[in-house]
Amino acid sequence: MKIVHRLYLADFFKLLLLIACGLSLLASLIDLIGNIDEFMPSKPSIGSLVLYALLNFPKFFLYLLPMSVLICSLFTFSQAARRKETIAIKAAGGRMRMLYRPFVICGLLISVTAFFISEVAAPVFSARAADLGARLKGKGKKAVLSSDALWIKDRKGNPVKITLYVPDKKVARGIIIFVQGETFLKQTISAKKATWDAGRWVLENVTVLVHETGKSEELKHMEYHDLDSPDIFSQEIKTSEEMGIAELYRYIQRLRVAGFNNIKLFVDLYAKVSFPLINVFMMFLGISLAGRATINSGLFTAGMGLGISLLYWFSFTFSLSIGYAGIVPPFIAAWAVPSVFGSFALYLFATMPE
């Protein structure tokens, strides 16, 4: 049985690497082609365009891995059944669940690998791809994001520190504007909150400190016209896919302390855990479906895998959407479809005839 295991595992992983890497590369190239019109005015080099596609590769690999696992497991065991190899194994006294055991373990390892990619590789590569894409579109960096603040310059060149910015609310917290004189720091304008209103920033609970005299003035509200629109901040705020679980959780906590409860980020946080787990369920499903019926056509196998994968993807996306809308709690939005899909796959595997 060990020899059979090695042969089937070798066939499975060869096909998995071919399909997963091939589809991911194709998706990266399609994404590049979709943005090429915006890149061309800056006359990018071939190398920078290739780099952009490669930086997006881990993200698409993560998305397409479950479909690849399903197609490969379906194909491997359906072909074994078509060639009557499973009948020969049974006739020799072998048990099918013993044959499938290494694949179940591999499914778990693939899920762990997918989690590692989503936590370590994909956020870093996605952030670099976003930065490169902005430069190729001629949108150079106008702000610097540190671990605890966003730094930017206003229209007069004065440094501005923003402790927290909430893109969907267009609200900033903890703003400090360092107004420079010709040779020294002239004023420091501190505000607890700033809101974008009718094309201008309105600062609230403002303290204006004049350094030359040492005097300070407290203001309830103050309009500030030298700071650009919120678009400049949004370009530097990381998206959920550019953050790992720990970083996303810390960002959510910073928002909560500031009085904001972003449901979408909670859904994304739970989805970062639930999505990689579907790989092992796809393995169970592929084994179970191939073991229940003989599929003679490789094309039909690929079509079945693609159809089931799309059904899962659309269901999962819809579930996340209603979670974003607040119709269902974030945990249920992220776990409902993987739980139902996984339970069905485990049931098929448990009731599969020997």
Side-chain angles (χ1 to χ4, degrees):
M1 187 67 79
K2 290 184 178 179
I3 296 176
V4 176
H5 284 160
R6 285 199 297 269
L7 291 173
Y8 284 168
L9 285 172
D11 289 343
F12 172 80
F13 279 108
K14 287 178 184 176
L15 191 61
L16 180 64
L17 287 175
L18 178 64
I19 292 179
C21 293
L23 290 176
S24 301
L25 183 59
L26 180 61
S28 299
L29 292 175
I30 291 174
D31 180 73
L32 173 62
I33 293 170
N35 289 285
I36 198 71
D37 288 342
E38 297 182 72
F39 293 162
M40 291 312 294
S42 64
K43 298 180 180 180
S45 65
I46 297 297
S48 60
L49 294 177
V50 172
L51 179 60
Y52 178 80
L54 292 177
L55 288 173
N56 279 314
F57 181 86
K59 176 180 68 175
F60 290 116
F61 183 84
L62 183 67
Y63 290 159
L64 295 167
L65 185 58
M67 181 178 69
S68 303
V69 170
L70 177 59
I71 292 175
C72 292
S73 57
L74 267 172
F75 186 84
T76 299
F77 288 105
S78 64
Q79 293 303 299
R82 184 180 66 83
R83 294 191 297 260
K84 311 298 182 183
E85 293 172 359
T86 53
I87 296 176
I89 293 172
K90 292 178 183 179
R95 297 185 60 191
M96 297 308 296
R97 281 188 173 79
M98 288 295 294
L99 175 65
Y100 298 143
R101 183 178 297 175
F103 285 87
V104 173
I105 296 173
C106 286
L108 291 170
L109 293 177
I110 291 172
S111 288
V112 172
T113 302
F115 180 80
F116 177 81
I117 292 173
S118 68
E119 181 66 11
V120 179
V124 175
F125 280 78
S126 295
R128 291 181 179 178
D131 181 50
L132 178 59
R135 285 192 282 113
L136 291 176
K137 293 176 182 178
K139 300 176 181 178
K141 267 186 173 292
K142 297 181 179 179
V144 177
L145 181 64
S146 65
S147 59
D148 60 346
L150 182 68
W151 289 88
I152 197 169
K153 286 188 176 182
D154 67 10
R155 292 167 183 165
K156 294 182 178 179
N158 298 312
V160 180
K161 178 184 177 182
I162 299 174
T163 303
L164 180 66
Y165 176 67
V166 187
D168 55 337
K169 302 288 185 181
K170 294 185 179 180
V171 171
R173 295 275 189 178
I175 295 183
I176 304 177
I177 304 171
F178 301 93
V179 182
Q180 297 175 318
E182 292 184 3
T183 58
F184 58 89
L185 186 62
K186 186 177 179 182
Q187 289 180 333
T188 300
I189 303 174
S190 305
K192 291 185 178 180
K193 182 181 177 182
T195 306
W196 180 254
D197 182 31
R200 71 198 190 288
W201 286 99
V202 178
L203 309 182
E204 300 179 19
N205 299 320
V206 185
T207 300
V208 180
L209 174 62
V210 181
H211 291 276
E212 188 175 3
T213 62
K215 295 181 179 180
S216 63
E217 181 182 4
E218 304 287 336
L219 301 172
K220 188 79 173 177
H221 297 89
M222 174 183 174
E223 292 186 8
Y224 194 75
H225 299 275
D226 292 328
L227 199 57
D228 286 321
S229 71
D231 294 339
I232 196 171
F233 305 117
S234 301
Q235 293 171 9
E236 300 302 326
I237 299 298
K238 288 184 177 180
T239 61
S240 298
E241 67 181 18
E242 295 172 12
M243 291 187 277
I245 292 176
E247 186 179 3
L248 180 57
Y249 178 77
R250 289 194 298 268
Y251 181 58
I252 291 173
Q253 293 305 311
R254 288 176 62 194
L255 288 177
R256 293 184 70 177
V257 170
F260 299 100
N261 187 25
N262 194 313
I263 297 177
K264 183 181 184 298
L265 294 180
F266 274 104
V267 175
D268 290 338
L269 179 66
Y270 290 124
K272 281 183 173 289
V273 181
S274 66
F275 185 76
L277 190 62
I278 195 60
N279 289 284
V280 68
F281 295 145
M282 287 294 189
M283 182 71 82
F284 276 117
L285 189 60
I287 292 172
S288 303
L289 292 175
R292 287 173 179 268
T294 301
I295 305 173
N296 294 318
S297 171
L299 185 61
F300 181 78
T301 301
M304 179 188 293
L306 179 61
I308 294 173
S309 300
L310 290 176
L311 175 62
Y312 172 79
W313 180 255
F314 285 130
S315 301
F316 187 65
T317 303
F318 176 75
S319 180
L320 294 183
S321 298
I322 61 177
Y324 294 155
I327 298 174
V328 298
F331 182 83
I332 294 177
W335 280 98
V337 174
S339 298
V340 172
F341 203 88
S343 299
F344 178 67
L346 291 174
Y347 169 77
L348 289 180
F349 184 78
T351 58
M352 185 174 55
E354 278 287 349

